[in-house]
Amino acid sequence: MIRGLQDMGTLKVSAVIEAINAEKTAEQYTGENKLDSSSIGREQYLKLTAQLPDTTEEDVHLINTHLILVADSSGSMAGNPWNQVLSSLEYIIGESVGNGQIHLDVIIYDTKAKVLQYTQHNYAIQLSRLKSGGMTNFAEAFSRVSGLLKNQIDDKPVDQTVIMFMTDGEDTVSSKDQLSRGISTFRGNLQSLGHDVIVHAVGFSRSHDYKFLSNLCTAGTIEGMFRYCEPSDGKGALKRKLEELFDFISCVDGRQADIQLTIGGADKLVGVDELLQTTVIKGQIITKEPEDKKDKIGDAMAAAANVNHCAQTFVQAETWVYLEDPHSIPHMGIKALFKMPQDKEQKMAVLCEIVSFQRQIVTEPVDKIRWSLRILSRNTDVLASKFAQTLQQKGDIAKLEKRLHRLQGRIANTQVFGNKGITKEFRNAVLEQIKEIQTKVDIMHGMMAEYKRGQGQSVAVLARANDLRYAAEFSKSRRHRVMNIRVSRNVDQAKIAQKQLSTLKVDQDYVKSLSQDALQFYFCVLSQNDIKDILLDQEDISDMMGFGLAVRRPEHVLDEPTAIRVWCISGTLVSRTAMMDAWEHKITVDGHLSTHGGFNMDHDSPLGVTTVGQGREPINAWLPLYVCQSHWERVKALLKPTLGYFCMLDPHGYDYKQMDVMFYILGSMIGQLNPETAGEHQLKILFAFHRTCAATVKDFDLTDQVKEIVHKFISSAEGRTKDIVSNLFTLIGYIVSLPTVTVEEIFGASSEIRATRLQQFWMTFTCECLRRAAGNAYRETNDNVINGILDQILHGVGQGILQDSNIKVKEPPLTKPKAMLVTKCHNVKSDVSIDSHVFDPKDTVTPPTVIYSHSVKVDKAMDIWAQAQCGIIKNKNRAEQVAQANKVVRQWLDEGVEMVSPCDMSSTATESQQPPPLDEFEPDYISHSMVYTLAKVLQKLQNNAYSDIACIPGCIAFVEFWLSEQPGFAELDSNSGMAPVSWTDRVKAAIARVYSCMDELVVSSRDEVDPDTLVCVEDLPPSTPTTASTKSEDDVAYSDYDSDDSHGSERHARRRITHGPRITLPMVVHAVNPLVDLTLCVRAMTCQALVLHSNSKARAAAKGGQLRDFHSGTENAVTTLQEAHNDLVKQSTSVLQRLIDFALWQRANYCMLEATTPWAFVGYLMNTYKERGEGFHELVNILTSKDRVNPIPCMVDKVRILLIGKHEECVVLANGNTWMPERKMAREFEKVIGEAAWTSIELQLNSCVQIHVYRESDIPNRHGHCNSNPYIPNKLRKALGMPLMPECVKGPAKKGPLRIGNKLTR
């Protein structure tokens, strides 16, 4: 309820209707009665926004919820189900602890029930002590719940009580009378509370009491929801249901209002499967900042510091309408209904007046896809609800089945690819939404199948139907739900931050003693205030000094904050308040002060720009700096809301993962250091932010967490993949922000040990960077293409295992491969294309030739052999006959092997088609074409690398300076927060050393290489040495940043550093370890990156020890190259073997088709197939083929043997297991053998089922089934002549012995 509504006559409403138009561009209604537009659809989407009285946070009455979670811990829950419950409880308790609107009680019940005693500090330990066991006692659980019911908790009134009841079975302790009395008492206790009570139920497994749980959902004053899952839904299904239900409950915080809509004339409101004149829709109350004070972006940050300011409040609601005239304005009556705090049973109706109306026409491809998905989602939810209702009422589902098929067709026809203007992120979001819709449709298909099998009223189908009714309630986007949880959790933190700010004291003596250099450096160019003005201004205690950035935020930044794309790290300092003003007014600074430069990156796509910096660089984001202790106290108090806004554009959207953004930005700044960008100003900002990150590690207790990540990355291959370290730049920020003691623990205290471990780290870092680049470059590339590239890197053009052999003349080895590699990598074009052979396995070998023939003699031998194998022939007098048959069968098998033997293929296959032995690879042999291919591949990987390989030298130089010098921050703090000149000089010197080392390699390599050997290279103009530069440090170097290496396809136009040095992988490897065998190491690193380019392959290789380091020696490099060679050989060999197997299958299948007796057929079958594999299905396809002219002998018997797996009760195929063909295949069998024969086989297939073993006591279960009267479908009962089982009658049917498969029931 919003204060002030009683005094307001009407609410002003803005209405927007969206309609789809396939021809025109977007238009808006301008006030005329008709819209001049071509044909638009009658079904349109109405959005209403009603403005409420201006409010403060306290004016909105939030619902206080008493949540009671009742979890079944009986013995049947043991194992994975109980682990899921514990995991869900840990999540729910953890989210509830910081939520002021939810008070949580947890009841664990089996034979007895108990309330879980926990605190916010020990709940994880308490949960770990819980065990499953005992029986299921609902009455005891209800008694415990009744004892917890309250109207007031912690001096706050309870607005609603919500109970989540979970079980996997039925009550096994209480009698029916006891349970009936217990539920009656429980219902009465709930109804007498005096506020809203809702009971939700979660049923797990098919054995739960569906009727009981569905009735339980009606026990409160408001009907609750029923969720259902079973073990076959997946290991995490139960956990997901519980957490979804809790998330839904936690989102209902009182910010809702009902909107009553009435539409006149022939127009209609679209309801659930019906058109209405009047309906009530749910509205959401939202709060926005007043635009006359601060825009919603700027003042959202101010909300973290001042949470009691006045804000604008709106009710937003949406619904579908059907307009008889799609161009007309619908006549609507609108009322907003609000609950009265003093009387929750009544609602106050407030009239609404539409003051503005717009019609927006959907024309763009992206908007049309959104429209289609919106309709698909709505139709799916409507059909799911109708489907569930029809099943529960035993209605006719024929019409629903047709609607389901139409819906499936529309999903399949949704155009996701081939539309202009659709980005990869949008396409992924669309595919994810389609996947969610398809999941619901699949559930309905499954329920339809079970219903048709006569199980329409089974527990599983009814429970699934009831669960489906509420699927739409949980179809909100994950982002909305998670953001609501975060806001609820973080709003109290914002209030705490405000209190902390109000109590902070500024050390005025220290501030007044700040040096003039510091005041000039820490100077806001927008507000013209220096750091002293900011700290001494008591009217704005939330103002801070920081620096600007330009960023883009992909959707998945919700889960991975370091996926933010950084486009520009500015060298311009601005204050927080000035940045908020810039967000509001879009201030632009005139003039160009190029002396400050900055960490700038060029880009082509448009970017939202709030303001520009002194170097005209774009700025749309902001992060704070340390400066001094007094300033840091302010930064620390507001760092979480600052990061929440930086990542999520919401100061209340903070999540602990967002701390990594600080270190990611620091690593990015360090990576941009090179001889041309390492100016005094840039380094001062870098050190100031470096100080901020170090303080963050210390004051937010991140040391142990960061240490573990860095240590695992260095020590274990399993600690390097993207799921562990999402962004490699973050590692750089981690290392330089750790305390000195911790750094020594990781890298060693002595200079020798530290140098060795750093060398290992940088080589590992470079390998992982290259591997992720390969993932970006070859994400959607067929493995055959990658294998072709590998073949050329390993063996040269025309020399490999998988390539065309026409030009296979071995190239002479290079005398100076290292110099050639360095020079070609340095000169190859940036937009290089790679011409590689695409590996087609069938091209590497010639298929064997097989002669098909049928012999009556072999048939007779197979007949005798098969009977002997199955024990049919036991007469010793036939031993000679059996021996002769064995000899003929063996001869037939040997003839087949000889036909397809590779040695017989030598006359038709060229020598090159024979795969070389595994040990014939020469890792030291390097040819010109190998180096050329390698240079082009490396350039392509570098174009797709993030972290950028060109950034590694800057990182090496800075980390080397920081870890070797270990200056600490005391000197910086004593210098008014300014980096001493000695620091900047030493950093420049370290950068110069690294680049000089790479320069020497390039120059010496160029001198060693004969220029004539470079004519085939796609050369650039000759490059100057990397450190030779005539530019001043004020010049600006641009490069493109992308903070998520999962978007390599979007970086095909990445720009290299336009004025900076050209860096290649051989140069980086040489800078890391000048003594390494450069050519061998780079080849091995590249091959490993290509082979393990996907994260899943890398994780598997890390576990198996195949993800190797190359920091010392040549053993790992040689092993990696040898394994890549061996893998290509094995692929070629496996293709040949597969062709041999296929030829043998074809020969045997021909003989089986022509076999004149069933036992001869069995003989061929047993000698060819053990299981139903590829060759078996090829045989089935031939049997059912319409193209065959001649009849197949013993056709019915052969089909029966293939499906049953037995002949005359003897196991002959697949261990005697049956094969039930799909409906389409079954119809094909019926066509070729006749209806009567197929009916007989189908009956035999249905009879070969396993009997469910019931309890030993033979007491019938609640369905009337037991060991002596198992459940058998009526269709099978009818065929077997058994009494039919009435659907509506429970209890044992007529007893009698029945043979099912190999079992006899009595």
Side-chain angles (χ1 to χ4, degrees):
M1 179 64 188
I2 307 298
R3 296 176 188 172
L5 284 174
Q6 296 91 333
D7 303 325
M8 194 171 190
T10 60
L11 297 179
K12 299 184 183 301
V13 175
S14 299
V16 176
I17 285 188
E18 287 185 4
I20 192 163
N21 179 357
E23 300 175 3
K24 298 289 184 181
T25 57
E27 302 174 55
Q28 286 194 332
Y29 178 71
T30 57
E32 301 294 333
N33 193 40
K34 297 281 185 178
L35 180 70
D36 184 16
S37 173
S38 61
S39 176
I40 58 178
R42 293 182 177 181
E43 196 171 21
Q44 302 180 15
Y45 198 63
L46 174 65
K47 300 179 180 179
L48 301 174
T49 303
Q51 184 171 351
L52 301 177
D54 288 352
T55 62
T56 64
E57 193 73 32
E58 284 74 15
D59 290 330
V60 180
H61 174 71
L62 300 179
I63 291 178
N64 295 317
T65 300
H66 183 197
L67 176 60
I68 304 175
L69 199 156
V70 189
D72 183 353
S73 64
S74 59
S76 57
M77 288 290 294
N80 181 56
W82 183 239
N83 291 333
Q84 290 187 64
V85 171
L86 292 179
S87 181
S88 299
L89 288 176
E90 185 170 359
Y91 167 77
I92 292 171
I93 295 174
E95 294 296 326
S96 301
V97 165
N99 192 329
Q101 271 64 59
I102 294 181
H103 177 84
L104 174 67
D105 283 313
V106 178
I107 295 175
I108 307 296
Y109 74 95
D110 40 59
T111 309
K112 297 290 183 181
K114 62 181 179 181
V115 179
L116 180 66
Q117 302 298 328
Y118 68 90
T119 67
Q120 68 180 84
H121 304 293
N122 72 348
Y123 66 87
I125 297 175
Q126 293 293 83
L127 289 173
S128 66
R129 294 172 178 170
L130 297 177
K131 305 297 180 185
S132 60
M135 304 177 75
T136 305
N137 191 343
F138 292 161
E140 181 72 13
F142 294 150
S143 176
R144 284 290 183 182
V145 173
S146 298
L148 292 176
L149 298 176
K150 302 171 185 176
N151 279 307
Q152 194 170 26
I153 297 176
D154 296 335
D155 298 327
K156 292 196 299 186
V158 175
D159 295 303
Q160 67 173 6
T161 296
V162 180
I163 301 168
M164 289 172 58
F165 192 92
M166 191 285 297
T167 183
D168 73 329
E170 53 188 4
D171 196 316
T172 55
V173 175
S174 309
S175 65
K176 289 186 177 180
D177 290 340
Q178 289 175 325
L179 189 58
S180 177
R181 289 194 299 270
I183 189 64
S184 178
T185 303
F186 180 64
R187 187 186 294 270
N189 292 337
L190 298 182
Q191 300 284 344
S192 64
L193 265 179
H195 58 252
D196 291 342
V197 182
I198 309 170
V199 181
H200 303 300
V202 179
F204 180 67
S205 84
R206 295 174 177 239
S207 60
H208 75 274
D209 193 334
Y210 162 72
K211 184 176 180 180
F212 169 78
L213 290 183
S214 58
N215 289 335
L216 184 62
C217 290
T218 66
T221 60
I222 300 175
E223 184 176 352
M225 300 181 188
F226 176 85
R227 307 307 317 272
Y228 169 74
C229 63
E230 54 188 67
S232 61
D233 292 340
K235 292 183 177 180
L238 178 57
K239 178 177 182 289
R240 188 166 56 251
K241 295 288 183 182
L242 291 172
E243 291 181 4
E244 280 182 351
L245 192 54
F246 171 77
D247 288 343
F248 174 79
I249 294 168
S250 63
C251 285
V252 181
D253 59 0
R255 297 174 181 267
Q256 292 84 31
D258 290 339
I259 302 295
Q260 180 177 305
L261 269 178
T262 302
I263 196 166
D267 298 332
K268 303 290 184 182
L269 299 166
V270 179
V272 180
D273 213 35
E274 60 180 341
L275 298 177
L276 307 167
Q277 296 291 148
T278 301
T279 190
V280 175
I281 59 177
K282 295 292 184 182
Q284 187 73 25
I285 298 176
I286 63 170
T287 301
K288 295 182 179 179
E289 306 307 321
E291 295 187 2
D292 58 340
K293 296 181 181 180
K294 299 282 183 183
D295 69 356
K296 66 178 182 179
I297 298 177
D299 208 36
M301 294 264 314
N306 184 8
V307 295
N308 293 320
H309 61 280
C310 212
Q312 293 177 343
T313 307
F314 302 86
V315 176
Q316 291 184 340
E318 301 173 348
T319 189
W320 289 89
V321 295
Y322 180 86
L323 304 182
E324 185 67 24
D325 180 357
H327 304 91
S328 65
I329 304 173
H331 298 284
M332 295 181 294
I334 305 174
K335 291 181 181 179
L337 308 177
F338 299 91
K339 283 190 176 182
M340 304 294 291
Q342 64 273 20
D343 188 353
K344 297 181 176 59
E345 298 297 324
Q346 295 186 4
K347 290 186 177 181
M348 183 180 73
V350 181
L351 293 176
C352 301
E353 175 188 1
I354 298 179
V355 295
S356 67
F357 186 94
Q358 292 181 327
R359 177 175 273 113
Q360 297 176 345
I361 309 301
V362 176
T363 59
E364 297 299 323
V366 170
D367 297 326
K368 287 182 178 180
I369 291 176
R370 287 196 182 100
W371 177 277
S372 298
L373 287 177
R374 190 184 289 161
I375 291 179
L376 276 176
S377 181
R378 182 203 65 184
N379 291 349
T380 303
D381 292 336
V382 168
L383 184 59
S385 179
K386 189 74 175 177
F387 197 85
Q389 182 182 0
T390 304
L391 284 182
Q392 291 173 330
Q393 296 175 358
K394 303 181 183 180
D396 183 11
I397 64 170
K399 293 182 178 179
L400 295 181
E401 185 175 17
K402 293 180 180 179
R403 288 175 61 178
L404 183 61
H405 289 311
R406 285 200 302 269
L407 180 62
Q408 181 66 73
R410 289 175 183 143
I411 295 173
N413 292 329
T414 302
Q415 294 296 322
V416 180
F417 300 93
N419 292 302
K420 293 183 178 180
I422 294 182
T423 63
K424 183 176 181 180
E425 290 89 347
F426 178 77
R427 183 168 66 249
N428 289 341
V430 169
L431 293 173
E432 190 65 30
Q433 191 170 352
I434 290 176
K435 181 180 178 181
E436 182 180 338
I437 294 171
Q438 185 63 59
T439 299
K440 297 178 184 178
V441 172
D442 289 342
I443 292 174
M444 286 187 275
H445 277 304
M447 292 168 57
M448 184 80 69
E450 290 193 39
Y451 186 88
K452 288 185 173 182
R453 285 197 292 265
Q455 301 176 17
Q457 294 300 305
S458 71
V459 171
V461 173
L462 291 176
R464 186 78 75 185
N466 210 340
D467 179 72
L468 203 58
R469 284 179 54 199
Y470 301 106
E473 299 287 347
F474 299 91
S475 62
K476 293 181 180 179
S477 70
R478 182 175 178 274
R479 173 180 175 140
H480 177 71
R481 183 165 62 245
V482 173
M483 279 301 300
N484 279 348
I485 296 171
R486 287 189 187 173
V487 169
S488 176
R489 183 178 64 219
N490 293 329
V491 69
D492 291 336
Q493 294 296 325
K495 295 179 181 179
I496 294 173
Q498 168 63 17
K499 291 180 180 179
Q500 289 176 345
L501 285 174
S502 62
T503 60
L504 291 178
K505 301 297 182 183
V506 176
D507 187 346
Q508 298 195 14
D509 292 337
Y510 177 84
V511 173
K512 292 177 181 179
S513 68
L514 289 173
S515 67
Q516 190 62 32
D517 287 343
L519 297 180
Q520 290 177 355
F521 178 76
Y522 292 112
F523 180 81
C524 175
V525 298
L526 299 185
S527 67
Q528 298 295 295
N529 290 330
D530 58 31
I531 186 62
K532 182 165 68 174
D533 299 329
I534 291 172
L535 288 175
L536 296 181
D537 184 1
Q538 294 301 312
E539 294 182 2
D540 190 359
I541 59 175
S542 63
D543 199 10
M544 303 177 290
M545 186 64 73
F547 64 100
L549 307 89
V551 302
R552 275 188 168 177
R553 303 169 181 86
E555 180 69 21
H556 54 277
V557 74
L558 176 73
D559 297 310
E560 186 42 66
T562 57
I564 285 179
R565 302 180 197 174
V566 180
W567 292 84
C568 171
I569 302 176
S570 173
T572 302
L573 300 188
V574 289
S575 70
R576 176 178 174 274
T577 300
M579 192 65 202
M580 285 167 22
D581 289 338
W583 276 318
E584 180 181 2
H585 301 294
K586 308 292 183 183
I587 295 175
T588 301
V589 178
D590 292 327
H592 180 67
L593 304 177
S594 60
T595 55
H596 291 330
F599 304 88
N600 297 308
M601 283 65 74
D602 192 15
H603 51 85
D604 297 324
S605 57
L607 179 72
V609 179
T610 304
T611 185
V612 294
Q614 290 175 301
R616 306 302 297 170
E617 70 276 11
I619 297 175
N620 63 13
W622 179 89
L623 284 174
L625 296 172
Y626 181 93
V627 186
C628 63
Q629 186 63 35
S630 295
H631 187 263
W632 168 245
E633 293 300 329
R634 288 190 183 183
V635 173
K636 185 167 62 174
L638 292 178
L639 185 58
K640 291 181 179 180
T642 298
L643 290 174
Y645 182 75
F646 184 89
C647 296
M648 303 302 303
L649 296 176
D650 187 335
H652 298 316
Y654 171 75
D655 183 73
Y656 72 94
K657 290 183 181 179
Q658 292 169 8
M659 281 293 178
D660 281 347
V661 170
M662 300 286 286
F663 309 103
Y664 153 57
I665 298 297
L666 176 59
S668 301
M669 297 169 76
I670 294 172
Q672 285 300 296
L673 294 175
N674 63 57
E676 298 178 12
T677 61
E680 293 288 336
H681 187 81
Q682 290 88 337
L683 289 174
K684 287 177 181 177
I685 294 179
L686 171 57
F687 278 117
F689 191 60
H690 184 191
R691 178 71 177 98
T692 311
C693 291
T696 301
V697 169
K698 178 183 176 183
D699 290 357
F700 287 90
D701 297 325
L702 302 178
T703 303
D704 292 340
Q705 171 188 332
V706 170
K707 174 187 173 183
E708 182 180 5
I709 294 173
V710 175
H711 177 72
K712 284 185 176 180
F713 185 89
I714 297 172
S715 61
S716 171
E718 295 184 46
R720 299 168 193 167
T721 51
K722 189 181 174 186
D723 55 309
I724 306 298
V725 181
S726 176
N727 193 301
L728 292 176
F729 272 140
T730 310
L731 276 175
I732 309 302
Y734 281 163
I735 291 172
V736 297
S737 300
L738 285 169
T740 302
V741 175
T742 307
V743 170
E744 290 179 350
E745 292 176 4
I746 297 174
F747 293 100
S750 68
S751 58
E752 295 81 5
I753 296 176
R754 182 168 58 248
T756 301
R757 292 183 181 176
L758 274 175
Q759 188 180 88
Q760 176 185 351
F761 169 79
W762 288 120
M763 193 66 78
T764 301
F765 186 94
T766 305
C767 285
E768 181 61 19
C769 180
L770 192 70
R771 190 196 65 76
R772 297 190 187 192
N776 296 332
Y778 296 103
R779 180 178 304 278
E780 299 177 0
T781 305
N782 189 287
D783 284 345
N784 292 341
V785 175
I786 296 176
N787 287 336
I789 296 172
L790 280 169
D791 199 20
Q792 291 185 186
I793 293 175
L794 292 169
H795 310 105
V797 176
Q799 307 297 310
I801 299 166
L802 314 178
Q803 302 171 54
D804 191 348
S805 62
N806 295 333
I807 58 172
K808 190 168 275 191
V809 177
K810 190 167 184 177
E811 297 179 81
L814 291 173
T815 56
K816 297 179 180 179
K818 174 181 174 181
M820 182 64 74
L821 176 63
V822 172
T823 305
K824 287 199 173 185
C825 286
H826 199 255
N827 290 354
V828 72
K829 287 183 178 180
S830 59
D831 57 347
V832 65
S833 61
I834 303 172
D835 299 323
S836 64
H837 173 82
V838 178
F839 169 51
D840 184 349
K842 295 180 181 178
D843 291 344
T844 64
V845 294
T846 300
T849 303
V850 179
I851 300 174
Y852 302 138
S853 62
H854 174 253
S855 167
V856 176
K857 176 183 176 182
V858 176
D859 264 14
K860 292 180 179 178
M862 286 290 180
D863 187 306
I864 297 170
W865 178 90
Q867 292 188 59
Q869 290 293 313
C870 294
I872 301 298
I873 298 178
K874 299 180 180 180
N875 193 335
K876 295 181 180 180
N877 295 330
R878 299 187 64 183
E880 182 64 28
Q881 187 182 17
V882 171
Q884 187 63 32
N886 288 342
K887 183 177 179 181
V888 174
V889 170
R890 173 49 56 192
Q891 183 179 358
W892 179 83
L893 292 172
D894 292 341
E895 288 174 357
V897 174
E898 290 175 3
M899 284 184 189
V900 298
S901 175
C903 62
D904 288 342
M905 294 169 55
S906 58
S907 60
T908 58
T910 64
E911 182 181 350
S912 63
Q913 289 176 310
Q914 304 304 318
L918 298 183
D919 58 355
E920 285 191 3
F921 177 67
E922 303 175 38
D924 295 330
Y925 166 70
I926 308 292
S927 68
H928 185 277
S929 61
M930 290 182 198
V931 172
Y932 187 36
T933 302
L934 184 59
K936 293 196 291 184
V937 170
L938 288 175
Q939 184 59 50
K940 179 171 182 177
L941 297 187
Q942 191 159 345
N943 291 342
N944 291 272
Y946 193 82
S947 303
D948 197 335
I949 292 173
C951 294
I952 297 177
C955 295
I956 293 173
F958 189 88
V959 173
E960 175 192 335
F961 152 74
W962 188 255
L963 268 60
S964 61
E965 302 287 346
Q966 297 184 357
F969 290 104
E971 191 175 352
L972 183 144
D973 293 340
S974 64
N975 195 37
S976 300
M978 300 281 290
V981 176
S982 61
W983 287 20
T984 58
D985 288 344
R986 281 181 280 175
V987 171
K988 292 179 183 179
I991 294 172
R993 283 195 301 273
V994 173
Y995 276 78
S996 176
C997 177
M998 296 188 297
D999 246 357
E1000 292 172 2
L1001 174 70
V1002 174
V1003 173
S1004 63
S1005 298
R1006 184 175 295 155
D1007 292 341
E1008 292 180 23
V1009 174
D1010 182 355
D1012 293 339
T1013 62
L1014 299 175
V1015 293
C1016 65
V1017 184
E1018 304 171 34
D1019 288 336
L1020 289 170
S1023 303
T1024 57
T1026 56
T1027 56
S1029 175
T1030 59
K1031 302 183 181 300
S1032 69
E1033 65 182 32
D1034 298 332
D1035 289 329
V1036 181
Y1038 289 88
S1039 66
D1040 182 11
Y1041 258 19
D1042 189 331
S1043 62
D1044 180 17
D1045 61 354
S1046 67
H1047 291 78
S1049 61
E1050 293 185 359
R1051 289 193 300 280
H1052 62 279
R1054 178 184 295 280
R1055 298 291 186 266
R1056 298 294 88 192
I1057 301 177
T1058 57
H1059 296 299
R1062 180 177 177 84
I1063 305 299
T1064 64
L1065 182 68
M1067 296 166 64
V1068 173
V1069 174
H1070 179 74
V1072 174
N1073 185 359
L1075 302 179
V1076 74
D1077 185 332
L1078 189 62
T1079 309
L1080 185 67
C1081 181
V1082 170
R1083 284 178 74 207
M1085 290 170 65
T1086 307
C1087 288
Q1088 177 169 279
L1090 292 173
V1091 172
L1092 306 178
H1093 65 277
S1094 72
N1095 290 305
S1096 58
K1097 290 181 179 179
R1099 285 193 295 270
K1103 291 181 179 179
Q1106 286 85 42
L1107 186 60
R1108 297 185 177 88
D1109 297 325
F1110 306 103
H1111 59 276
S1112 62
T1114 61
E1115 182 180 350
N1116 282 349
V1118 171
T1119 302
T1120 299
L1121 294 174
Q1122 182 73 56
E1123 286 185 354
H1125 165 83
N1126 293 350
D1127 184 61
L1128 297 181
V1129 173
K1130 289 175 182 177
Q1131 288 188 55
S1132 180
T1133 305
S1134 65
V1135 170
L1136 176 60
Q1137 185 59 50
R1138 186 177 180 280
L1139 291 175
I1140 291 173
D1141 292 341
F1142 188 76
L1144 292 174
W1145 295 337
Q1146 288 181 312
R1147 175 175 179 260
N1149 287 347
Y1150 178 82
C1151 293
M1152 279 185 262
L1153 293 174
E1154 301 297 332
T1156 54
T1157 67
W1159 278 112
F1161 173 80
V1162 168
Y1164 289 116
L1165 183 68
M1166 294 177 68
N1167 276 293
T1168 309
Y1169 304 121
K1170 301 298 181 185
E1171 299 290 340
R1172 295 182 177 94
E1174 186 177 356
F1176 167 85
H1177 289 288
E1178 184 71 21
L1179 174 62
V1180 169
N1181 291 335
I1182 298 173
L1183 282 171
T1184 57
S1185 174
K1186 300 176 183 178
D1187 299 331
R1188 186 174 178 86
V1189 178
N1190 298 326
I1192 299 175
C1194 309
M1195 181 66 165
V1196 176
D1197 289 325
K1198 292 177 180 179
V1199 170
R1200 189 187 305 272
I1201 292 168
L1202 291 175
L1203 298 184
I1204 303 299
K1206 298 178 182 178
H1207 182 53
E1208 295 184 7
E1209 296 300 321
C1210 297
V1211 174
V1212 298
L1213 176 66
N1215 296 319
N1217 293 319
T1218 60
W1219 174 50
M1220 179 67 74
E1222 297 179 356
R1223 184 179 300 178
K1224 182 178 179 180
M1225 180 60 71
R1227 286 198 296 266
E1228 296 298 324
F1229 278 126
E1230 186 175 356
K1231 289 178 184 178
V1232 297
I1233 65 175
E1235 182 179 356
W1238 174 248
T1239 301
S1240 172
I1241 294 175
E1242 187 178 30
L1243 177 61
Q1244 190 173 356
L1245 283 172
N1246 289 326
S1247 301
C1248 295
V1249 297
Q1250 295 293 321
I1251 291 296
H1252 175 73
V1253 179
Y1254 298 88
R1255 64 189 78 178
E1256 294 182 3
S1257 62
D1258 209 35
I1259 299 175
N1261 64 12
R1262 55 197 173 101
H1263 303 294
H1265 302 304
C1266 54
N1267 285 325
S1268 60
N1269 182 40
Y1271 171 73
I1272 300 171
N1274 276 341
K1275 180 180 179 180
L1276 185 54
R1277 285 175 175 264
K1278 183 177 181 180
L1280 296 174
M1282 295 178 60
L1284 299 184
M1285 181 177 61
E1287 293 287 346
C1288 57
V1289 177
K1290 291 185 178 181
K1294 183 178 179 180
K1295 299 182 180 180
L1298 170 68
R1299 179 174 292 278
I1300 304 292
N1302 294 327
K1303 296 190 177 182
L1304 183 66
T1305 66
R1306 301 184 180 278

